[in-house]
Amino acid sequence: MWIGASIQAESVGRFGLTGPWELTLVLHGTENAYLAGFGVGWAEPVPGMRWGFRPQQDPQVVIRREWNTFPKTENDIRDLAFDVGARIGDAWGMRERRFLDRGGDMDGKFNAGQWRL
């Protein structure tokens, strides 16, 4: 989301595009899926154990967001990416922002070094 929004922000500025804007993200095949891949310091779900993790009940999750002005600064783009990440976590009933590190040097921050393609 962060990279996609950065590219879109560049296009908005370069070509003078105007809103309104809409983001629709559909995650298919989510029924009985667990959300995992958290930042440093968070427990990951372990099959067969119940640590407050619950599988998704819906066969798909739809995240939708509308706004009038596209984010321009890196902080605004980060906030948009964090909002989408938070909505994904919310869909699994997680109120903590587990995409942010918990403890360590990057406590409360997004640790891009934690993620690999």
PDB file of all heavy atoms in Angstrom, residues 45-75:
ATOM      1  N   PRO A  45       0.426 -16.522  15.401  1.00  0.00           N
ATOM      2  CA  PRO A  45      -0.511 -17.618  15.663  1.00  0.00           C
ATOM      3  C   PRO A  45       0.150 -18.967  15.413  1.00  0.00           C
ATOM      4  O   PRO A  45       0.935 -19.119  14.481  1.00  0.00           O
ATOM      5  CB  PRO A  45      -1.653 -17.377  14.677  1.00  0.00           C
ATOM      6  CG  PRO A  45      -1.177 -16.365  13.723  1.00  0.00           C
ATOM      7  CD  PRO A  45       0.022 -15.696  14.294  1.00  0.00           C
ATOM      8  N   VAL A  46      -0.151 -19.916  16.266  1.00  0.00           N
ATOM      9  CA  VAL A  46       0.373 -21.274  16.144  1.00  0.00           C
ATOM     10  C   VAL A  46      -0.825 -22.197  15.951  1.00  0.00           C
ATOM     11  O   VAL A  46      -1.753 -22.177  16.764  1.00  0.00           O
ATOM     12  CB  VAL A  46       1.169 -21.686  17.404  1.00  0.00           C
ATOM     13  CG1 VAL A  46       1.630 -23.125  17.305  1.00  0.00           C
ATOM     14  CG2 VAL A  46       2.339 -20.732  17.618  1.00  0.00           C
ATOM     15  N   PRO A  47      -0.855 -22.975  14.864  1.00  0.00           N
ATOM     16  CA  PRO A  47      -1.996 -23.867  14.635  1.00  0.00           C
ATOM     17  C   PRO A  47      -2.282 -24.734  15.860  1.00  0.00           C
ATOM     18  O   PRO A  47      -1.376 -25.283  16.473  1.00  0.00           O
ATOM     19  CB  PRO A  47      -1.558 -24.722  13.444  1.00  0.00           C
ATOM     20  CG  PRO A  47      -0.546 -23.877  12.738  1.00  0.00           C
ATOM     21  CD  PRO A  47       0.164 -23.108  13.824  1.00  0.00           C
ATOM     22  N   GLY A  48      -3.543 -24.796  16.233  1.00  0.00           N
ATOM     23  CA  GLY A  48      -3.971 -25.631  17.351  1.00  0.00           C
ATOM     24  C   GLY A  48      -3.913 -24.934  18.700  1.00  0.00           C
ATOM     25  O   GLY A  48      -4.443 -25.441  19.673  1.00  0.00           O
ATOM     26  N   MET A  49      -3.274 -23.760  18.781  1.00  0.00           N
ATOM     27  CA  MET A  49      -3.211 -23.038  20.049  1.00  0.00           C
ATOM     28  C   MET A  49      -4.093 -21.803  19.967  1.00  0.00           C
ATOM     29  O   MET A  49      -4.223 -21.187  18.925  1.00  0.00           O
ATOM     30  CB  MET A  49      -1.775 -22.629  20.363  1.00  0.00           C
ATOM     31  CG  MET A  49      -0.854 -23.815  20.584  1.00  0.00           C
ATOM     32  SD  MET A  49       0.767 -23.316  21.161  1.00  0.00           S
ATOM     33  CE  MET A  49       0.407 -22.908  22.852  1.00  0.00           C
ATOM     34  N   ARG A  50      -4.670 -21.456  21.081  1.00  0.00           N
ATOM     35  CA  ARG A  50      -5.544 -20.282  21.122  1.00  0.00           C
ATOM     36  C   ARG A  50      -4.932 -19.233  22.038  1.00  0.00           C
ATOM     37  O   ARG A  50      -4.994 -19.358  23.248  1.00  0.00           O
ATOM     38  CB  ARG A  50      -6.929 -20.667  21.609  1.00  0.00           C
ATOM     39  CG  ARG A  50      -7.605 -21.619  20.657  1.00  0.00           C
ATOM     40  CD  ARG A  50      -8.993 -21.945  21.152  1.00  0.00           C
ATOM     41  NE  ARG A  50      -9.582 -22.883  20.251  1.00  0.00           N
ATOM     42  CZ  ARG A  50     -10.621 -22.602  19.480  1.00  0.00           C
ATOM     43  NH1 ARG A  50     -11.190 -21.437  19.539  1.00  0.00           N
ATOM     44  NH2 ARG A  50     -11.101 -23.511  18.669  1.00  0.00           N
ATOM     45  N   TRP A  51      -4.330 -18.221  21.445  1.00  0.00           N
ATOM     46  CA  TRP A  51      -3.744 -17.118  22.189  1.00  0.00           C
ATOM     47  C   TRP A  51      -4.485 -15.827  21.873  1.00  0.00           C
ATOM     48  O   TRP A  51      -3.899 -14.792  21.736  1.00  0.00           O
ATOM     49  CB  TRP A  51      -2.291 -16.939  21.819  1.00  0.00           C
ATOM     50  CG  TRP A  51      -1.393 -18.059  22.220  1.00  0.00           C
ATOM     51  CD1 TRP A  51      -1.724 -19.164  22.938  1.00  0.00           C
ATOM     52  CD2 TRP A  51      -0.018 -18.174  21.928  1.00  0.00           C
ATOM     53  NE1 TRP A  51      -0.645 -19.957  23.108  1.00  0.00           N
ATOM     54  CE2 TRP A  51       0.436 -19.373  22.489  1.00  0.00           C
ATOM     55  CE3 TRP A  51       0.892 -17.391  21.243  1.00  0.00           C
ATOM     56  CZ2 TRP A  51       1.740 -19.791  22.396  1.00  0.00           C
ATOM     57  CZ3 TRP A  51       2.186 -17.820  21.152  1.00  0.00           C
ATOM     58  CH2 TRP A  51       2.608 -19.000  21.726  1.00  0.00           C
ATOM     59  N   GLY A  52      -5.771 -15.916  21.712  1.00  0.00           N
ATOM     60  CA  GLY A  52      -6.537 -14.738  21.344  1.00  0.00           C
ATOM     61  C   GLY A  52      -6.624 -14.540  19.848  1.00  0.00           C
ATOM     62  O   GLY A  52      -7.219 -13.584  19.386  1.00  0.00           O
ATOM     63  N   PHE A  53      -5.993 -15.431  19.078  1.00  0.00           N
ATOM     64  CA  PHE A  53      -6.096 -15.336  17.625  1.00  0.00           C
ATOM     65  C   PHE A  53      -7.339 -16.079  17.192  1.00  0.00           C
ATOM     66  O   PHE A  53      -7.652 -17.145  17.708  1.00  0.00           O
ATOM     67  CB  PHE A  53      -4.878 -15.987  16.949  1.00  0.00           C
ATOM     68  CG  PHE A  53      -3.591 -15.282  17.239  1.00  0.00           C
ATOM     69  CD1 PHE A  53      -2.677 -15.824  18.121  1.00  0.00           C
ATOM     70  CD2 PHE A  53      -3.297 -14.081  16.620  1.00  0.00           C
ATOM     71  CE1 PHE A  53      -1.482 -15.179  18.384  1.00  0.00           C
ATOM     72  CE2 PHE A  53      -2.106 -13.435  16.880  1.00  0.00           C
ATOM     73  CZ  PHE A  53      -1.197 -13.977  17.769  1.00  0.00           C
ATOM     74  N   ARG A  54      -8.013 -15.532  16.239  1.00  0.00           N
ATOM     75  CA  ARG A  54      -9.172 -16.234  15.696  1.00  0.00           C
ATOM     76  C   ARG A  54      -9.089 -16.209  14.177  1.00  0.00           C
ATOM     77  O   ARG A  54      -8.601 -15.250  13.592  1.00  0.00           O
ATOM     78  CB  ARG A  54     -10.471 -15.608  16.175  1.00  0.00           C
ATOM     79  CG  ARG A  54     -10.709 -14.205  15.656  1.00  0.00           C
ATOM     80  CD  ARG A  54     -12.092 -13.691  16.103  1.00  0.00           C
ATOM     81  NE  ARG A  54     -12.312 -12.356  15.606  1.00  0.00           N
ATOM     82  CZ  ARG A  54     -12.791 -12.056  14.409  1.00  0.00           C
ATOM     83  NH1 ARG A  54     -13.084 -13.014  13.555  1.00  0.00           N
ATOM     84  NH2 ARG A  54     -12.974 -10.811  14.031  1.00  0.00           N
ATOM     85  N   PRO A  55      -9.576 -17.278  13.570  1.00  0.00           N
ATOM     86  CA  PRO A  55      -9.572 -17.275  12.105  1.00  0.00           C
ATOM     87  C   PRO A  55     -10.665 -16.352  11.575  1.00  0.00           C
ATOM     88  O   PRO A  55     -11.660 -16.081  12.262  1.00  0.00           O
ATOM     89  CB  PRO A  55      -9.858 -18.734  11.748  1.00  0.00           C
ATOM     90  CG  PRO A  55     -10.608 -19.273  12.915  1.00  0.00           C
ATOM     91  CD  PRO A  55     -10.093 -18.529  14.119  1.00  0.00           C
ATOM     92  N   GLN A  56     -10.461 -15.895  10.379  1.00  0.00           N
ATOM     93  CA  GLN A  56     -11.462 -15.055   9.716  1.00  0.00           C
ATOM     94  C   GLN A  56     -12.689 -15.904   9.419  1.00  0.00           C
ATOM     95  O   GLN A  56     -12.570 -17.054   8.995  1.00  0.00           O
ATOM     96  CB  GLN A  56     -10.878 -14.479   8.424  1.00  0.00           C
ATOM     97  CG  GLN A  56     -11.784 -13.582   7.631  1.00  0.00           C
ATOM     98  CD  GLN A  56     -12.369 -12.452   8.425  1.00  0.00           C
ATOM     99  OE1 GLN A  56     -13.564 -12.432   8.655  1.00  0.00           O
ATOM    100  NE2 GLN A  56     -11.543 -11.528   8.871  1.00  0.00           N
ATOM    101  N   GLN A  57     -13.855 -15.351   9.645  1.00  0.00           N
ATOM    102  CA  GLN A  57     -15.101 -16.075   9.406  1.00  0.00           C
ATOM    103  C   GLN A  57     -15.643 -15.855   7.994  1.00  0.00           C
ATOM    104  O   GLN A  57     -16.402 -16.673   7.485  1.00  0.00           O
ATOM    105  CB  GLN A  57     -16.164 -15.641  10.425  1.00  0.00           C
ATOM    106  CG  GLN A  57     -15.741 -15.884  11.868  1.00  0.00           C
ATOM    107  CD  GLN A  57     -15.464 -17.341  12.148  1.00  0.00           C
ATOM    108  OE1 GLN A  57     -16.317 -18.189  11.931  1.00  0.00           O
ATOM    109  NE2 GLN A  57     -14.257 -17.646  12.603  1.00  0.00           N
ATOM    110  N   ASP A  58     -15.253 -14.761   7.385  1.00  0.00           N
ATOM    111  CA  ASP A  58     -15.797 -14.413   6.070  1.00  0.00           C
ATOM    112  C   ASP A  58     -14.930 -14.975   4.939  1.00  0.00           C
ATOM    113  O   ASP A  58     -13.713 -15.029   5.058  1.00  0.00           O
ATOM    114  CB  ASP A  58     -15.893 -12.893   5.927  1.00  0.00           C
ATOM    115  CG  ASP A  58     -16.838 -12.286   6.943  1.00  0.00           C
ATOM    116  OD1 ASP A  58     -17.943 -12.839   7.112  1.00  0.00           O
ATOM    117  OD2 ASP A  58     -16.473 -11.275   7.570  1.00  0.00           O
ATOM    118  N   PRO A  59     -15.554 -15.344   3.818  1.00  0.00           N
ATOM    119  CA  PRO A  59     -14.794 -15.888   2.687  1.00  0.00           C
ATOM    120  C   PRO A  59     -13.943 -14.834   1.977  1.00  0.00           C
ATOM    121  O   PRO A  59     -13.035 -15.170   1.230  1.00  0.00           O
ATOM    122  CB  PRO A  59     -15.864 -16.452   1.760  1.00  0.00           C
ATOM    123  CG  PRO A  59     -17.114 -15.741   2.129  1.00  0.00           C
ATOM    124  CD  PRO A  59     -16.993 -15.379   3.584  1.00  0.00           C
ATOM    125  N   GLN A  60     -14.239 -13.572   2.209  1.00  0.00           N
ATOM    126  CA  GLN A  60     -13.417 -12.499   1.667  1.00  0.00           C
ATOM    127  C   GLN A  60     -13.530 -11.291   2.583  1.00  0.00           C
ATOM    128  O   GLN A  60     -14.516 -11.115   3.276  1.00  0.00           O
ATOM    129  CB  GLN A  60     -13.808 -12.121   0.247  1.00  0.00           C
ATOM    130  CG  GLN A  60     -15.184 -11.524   0.114  1.00  0.00           C
ATOM    131  CD  GLN A  60     -15.533 -11.259  -1.338  1.00  0.00           C
ATOM    132  OE1 GLN A  60     -14.934 -11.820  -2.242  1.00  0.00           O
ATOM    133  NE2 GLN A  60     -16.496 -10.407  -1.569  1.00  0.00           N
ATOM    134  N   VAL A  61     -12.492 -10.486   2.598  1.00  0.00           N
ATOM    135  CA  VAL A  61     -12.467  -9.242   3.372  1.00  0.00           C
ATOM    136  C   VAL A  61     -12.369  -8.107   2.376  1.00  0.00           C
ATOM    137  O   VAL A  61     -11.533  -8.135   1.464  1.00  0.00           O
ATOM    138  CB  VAL A  61     -11.265  -9.220   4.346  1.00  0.00           C
ATOM    139  CG1 VAL A  61     -11.103  -7.855   4.980  1.00  0.00           C
ATOM    140  CG2 VAL A  61     -11.419 -10.301   5.411  1.00  0.00           C
ATOM    141  N   VAL A  62     -13.224  -7.119   2.537  1.00  0.00           N
ATOM    142  CA  VAL A  62     -13.218  -5.952   1.662  1.00  0.00           C
ATOM    143  C   VAL A  62     -12.869  -4.727   2.501  1.00  0.00           C
ATOM    144  O   VAL A  62     -13.524  -4.445   3.496  1.00  0.00           O
ATOM    145  CB  VAL A  62     -14.584  -5.745   0.967  1.00  0.00           C
ATOM    146  CG1 VAL A  62     -14.565  -4.493   0.102  1.00  0.00           C
ATOM    147  CG2 VAL A  62     -14.964  -6.970   0.154  1.00  0.00           C
ATOM    148  N   ILE A  63     -11.821  -4.041   2.099  1.00  0.00           N
ATOM    149  CA  ILE A  63     -11.403  -2.796   2.732  1.00  0.00           C
ATOM    150  C   ILE A  63     -11.680  -1.692   1.716  1.00  0.00           C
ATOM    151  O   ILE A  63     -11.191  -1.753   0.584  1.00  0.00           O
ATOM    152  CB  ILE A  63      -9.893  -2.808   3.078  1.00  0.00           C
ATOM    153  CG1 ILE A  63      -9.506  -4.036   3.893  1.00  0.00           C
ATOM    154  CG2 ILE A  63      -9.476  -1.510   3.738  1.00  0.00           C
ATOM    155  CD1 ILE A  63     -10.073  -4.127   5.266  1.00  0.00           C
ATOM    156  N   ARG A  64     -12.458  -0.704   2.111  1.00  0.00           N
ATOM    157  CA  ARG A  64     -12.820   0.369   1.183  1.00  0.00           C
ATOM    158  C   ARG A  64     -12.626   1.703   1.879  1.00  0.00           C
ATOM    159  O   ARG A  64     -12.992   1.858   3.037  1.00  0.00           O
ATOM    160  CB  ARG A  64     -14.271   0.202   0.753  1.00  0.00           C
ATOM    161  CG  ARG A  64     -14.682   1.157  -0.318  1.00  0.00           C
ATOM    162  CD  ARG A  64     -16.071   0.805  -0.843  1.00  0.00           C
ATOM    163  NE  ARG A  64     -16.494   1.802  -1.775  1.00  0.00           N
ATOM    164  CZ  ARG A  64     -17.059   2.957  -1.448  1.00  0.00           C
ATOM    165  NH1 ARG A  64     -17.288   3.228  -0.186  1.00  0.00           N
ATOM    166  NH2 ARG A  64     -17.391   3.824  -2.365  1.00  0.00           N
ATOM    167  N   ARG A  65     -12.063   2.643   1.157  1.00  0.00           N
ATOM    168  CA  ARG A  65     -11.804   3.960   1.728  1.00  0.00           C
ATOM    169  C   ARG A  65     -11.961   5.004   0.649  1.00  0.00           C
ATOM    170  O   ARG A  65     -11.559   4.780  -0.498  1.00  0.00           O
ATOM    171  CB  ARG A  65     -10.379   3.984   2.286  1.00  0.00           C
ATOM    172  CG  ARG A  65      -9.922   5.322   2.724  1.00  0.00           C
ATOM    173  CD  ARG A  65      -9.428   5.311   4.159  1.00  0.00           C
ATOM    174  NE  ARG A  65      -9.243   6.666   4.603  1.00  0.00           N
ATOM    175  CZ  ARG A  65      -8.085   7.305   4.620  1.00  0.00           C
ATOM    176  NH1 ARG A  65      -6.985   6.705   4.265  1.00  0.00           N
ATOM    177  NH2 ARG A  65      -8.018   8.549   5.034  1.00  0.00           N
ATOM    178  N   GLU A  66     -12.554   6.130   0.986  1.00  0.00           N
ATOM    179  CA  GLU A  66     -12.723   7.261   0.061  1.00  0.00           C
ATOM    180  C   GLU A  66     -12.102   8.509   0.681  1.00  0.00           C
ATOM    181  O   GLU A  66     -12.109   8.650   1.897  1.00  0.00           O
ATOM    182  CB  GLU A  66     -14.204   7.555  -0.182  1.00  0.00           C
ATOM    183  CG  GLU A  66     -14.969   6.459  -0.862  1.00  0.00           C
ATOM    184  CD  GLU A  66     -16.439   6.818  -1.025  1.00  0.00           C
ATOM    185  OE1 GLU A  66     -16.848   7.961  -0.717  1.00  0.00           O
ATOM    186  OE2 GLU A  66     -17.190   5.940  -1.459  1.00  0.00           O
ATOM    187  N   TRP A  67     -11.573   9.382  -0.162  1.00  0.00           N
ATOM    188  CA  TRP A  67     -11.084  10.669   0.311  1.00  0.00           C
ATOM    189  C   TRP A  67     -11.073  11.635  -0.853  1.00  0.00           C
ATOM    190  O   TRP A  67     -11.098  11.244  -2.006  1.00  0.00           O
ATOM    191  CB  TRP A  67      -9.729  10.542   1.012  1.00  0.00           C
ATOM    192  CG  TRP A  67      -8.602  10.018   0.182  1.00  0.00           C
ATOM    193  CD1 TRP A  67      -7.618  10.746  -0.401  1.00  0.00           C
ATOM    194  CD2 TRP A  67      -8.327   8.652  -0.168  1.00  0.00           C
ATOM    195  NE1 TRP A  67      -6.750   9.921  -1.082  1.00  0.00           N
ATOM    196  CE2 TRP A  67      -7.162   8.634  -0.946  1.00  0.00           C
ATOM    197  CE3 TRP A  67      -8.939   7.440   0.109  1.00  0.00           C
ATOM    198  CZ2 TRP A  67      -6.611   7.460  -1.461  1.00  0.00           C
ATOM    199  CZ3 TRP A  67      -8.394   6.281  -0.393  1.00  0.00           C
ATOM    200  CH2 TRP A  67      -7.248   6.301  -1.160  1.00  0.00           C
ATOM    201  N   ASN A  68     -11.055  12.941  -0.546  1.00  0.00           N
ATOM    202  CA  ASN A  68     -11.146  13.974  -1.577  1.00  0.00           C
ATOM    203  C   ASN A  68      -9.805  14.460  -2.095  1.00  0.00           C
ATOM    204  O   ASN A  68      -9.690  14.836  -3.250  1.00  0.00           O
ATOM    205  CB  ASN A  68     -11.950  15.173  -1.063  1.00  0.00           C
ATOM    206  CG  ASN A  68     -13.418  14.831  -0.916  1.00  0.00           C
ATOM    207  OD1 ASN A  68     -13.973  14.122  -1.734  1.00  0.00           O
ATOM    208  ND2 ASN A  68     -14.038  15.307   0.148  1.00  0.00           N
ATOM    209  N   THR A  69      -8.797  14.489  -1.237  1.00  0.00           N
ATOM    210  CA  THR A  69      -7.478  14.983  -1.618  1.00  0.00           C
ATOM    211  C   THR A  69      -6.475  13.868  -1.438  1.00  0.00           C
ATOM    212  O   THR A  69      -6.399  13.272  -0.363  1.00  0.00           O
ATOM    213  CB  THR A  69      -7.077  16.188  -0.733  1.00  0.00           C
ATOM    214  OG1 THR A  69      -8.093  17.181  -0.821  1.00  0.00           O
ATOM    215  CG2 THR A  69      -5.758  16.775  -1.185  1.00  0.00           C
ATOM    216  N   PHE A  70      -5.699  13.594  -2.473  1.00  0.00           N
ATOM    217  CA  PHE A  70      -4.723  12.513  -2.368  1.00  0.00           C
ATOM    218  C   PHE A  70      -3.578  12.945  -1.461  1.00  0.00           C
ATOM    219  O   PHE A  70      -3.148  14.088  -1.503  1.00  0.00           O
ATOM    220  CB  PHE A  70      -4.184  12.124  -3.749  1.00  0.00           C
ATOM    221  CG  PHE A  70      -3.640  10.732  -3.767  1.00  0.00           C
ATOM    222  CD1 PHE A  70      -4.485   9.658  -3.977  1.00  0.00           C
ATOM    223  CD2 PHE A  70      -2.305  10.487  -3.518  1.00  0.00           C
ATOM    224  CE1 PHE A  70      -4.006   8.358  -3.957  1.00  0.00           C
ATOM    225  CE2 PHE A  70      -1.813   9.194  -3.493  1.00  0.00           C
ATOM    226  CZ  PHE A  70      -2.670   8.129  -3.712  1.00  0.00           C
ATOM    227  N   PRO A  71      -3.069  12.035  -0.632  1.00  0.00           N
ATOM    228  CA  PRO A  71      -1.948  12.375   0.254  1.00  0.00           C
ATOM    229  C   PRO A  71      -0.757  12.902  -0.558  1.00  0.00           C
ATOM    230  O   PRO A  71      -0.421  12.344  -1.601  1.00  0.00           O
ATOM    231  CB  PRO A  71      -1.592  11.039   0.915  1.00  0.00           C
ATOM    232  CG  PRO A  71      -2.805  10.190   0.763  1.00  0.00           C
ATOM    233  CD  PRO A  71      -3.480  10.644  -0.484  1.00  0.00           C
ATOM    234  N   LYS A  72      -0.130  13.957  -0.049  1.00  0.00           N
ATOM    235  CA  LYS A  72       0.977  14.576  -0.785  1.00  0.00           C
ATOM    236  C   LYS A  72       2.329  14.314  -0.144  1.00  0.00           C
ATOM    237  O   LYS A  72       3.311  14.120  -0.842  1.00  0.00           O
ATOM    238  CB  LYS A  72       0.745  16.086  -0.870  1.00  0.00           C
ATOM    239  CG  LYS A  72      -0.454  16.442  -1.714  1.00  0.00           C
ATOM    240  CD  LYS A  72      -0.679  17.938  -1.758  1.00  0.00           C
ATOM    241  CE  LYS A  72      -1.894  18.198  -2.612  1.00  0.00           C
ATOM    242  NZ  LYS A  72      -2.709  19.254  -2.154  1.00  0.00           N
ATOM    243  N   THR A  73       2.387  14.342   1.161  1.00  0.00           N
ATOM    244  CA  THR A  73       3.679  14.189   1.834  1.00  0.00           C
ATOM    245  C   THR A  73       3.911  12.714   2.191  1.00  0.00           C
ATOM    246  O   THR A  73       2.971  11.922   2.249  1.00  0.00           O
ATOM    247  CB  THR A  73       3.731  15.022   3.120  1.00  0.00           C
ATOM    248  OG1 THR A  73       2.830  14.448   4.089  1.00  0.00           O
ATOM    249  CG2 THR A  73       3.354  16.477   2.857  1.00  0.00           C
ATOM    250  N   GLU A  74       5.170  12.381   2.450  1.00  0.00           N
ATOM    251  CA  GLU A  74       5.488  11.005   2.867  1.00  0.00           C
ATOM    252  C   GLU A  74       4.768  10.637   4.159  1.00  0.00           C
ATOM    253  O   GLU A  74       4.347   9.497   4.327  1.00  0.00           O
ATOM    254  CB  GLU A  74       7.002  10.823   3.022  1.00  0.00           C
ATOM    255  CG  GLU A  74       7.715  10.581   1.715  1.00  0.00           C
ATOM    256  CD  GLU A  74       7.216   9.332   0.982  1.00  0.00           C
ATOM    257  OE1 GLU A  74       7.040   8.261   1.595  1.00  0.00           O
ATOM    258  OE2 GLU A  74       6.999   9.437  -0.239  1.00  0.00           O
ATOM    259  N   ASN A  75       4.606  11.597   5.071  1.00  0.00           N
ATOM    260  CA  ASN A  75       3.874  11.318   6.313  1.00  0.00           C
ATOM    261  C   ASN A  75       2.411  11.015   6.030  1.00  0.00           C
ATOM    262  O   ASN A  75       1.824  10.124   6.651  1.00  0.00           O
ATOM    263  CB  ASN A  75       4.000  12.478   7.301  1.00  0.00           C
ATOM    264  CG  ASN A  75       5.356  12.539   7.964  1.00  0.00           C
ATOM    265  OD1 ASN A  75       6.103  11.568   7.975  1.00  0.00           O
ATOM    266  ND2 ASN A  75       5.686  13.694   8.514  1.00  0.00           N
TER     267      ASN A  75
END
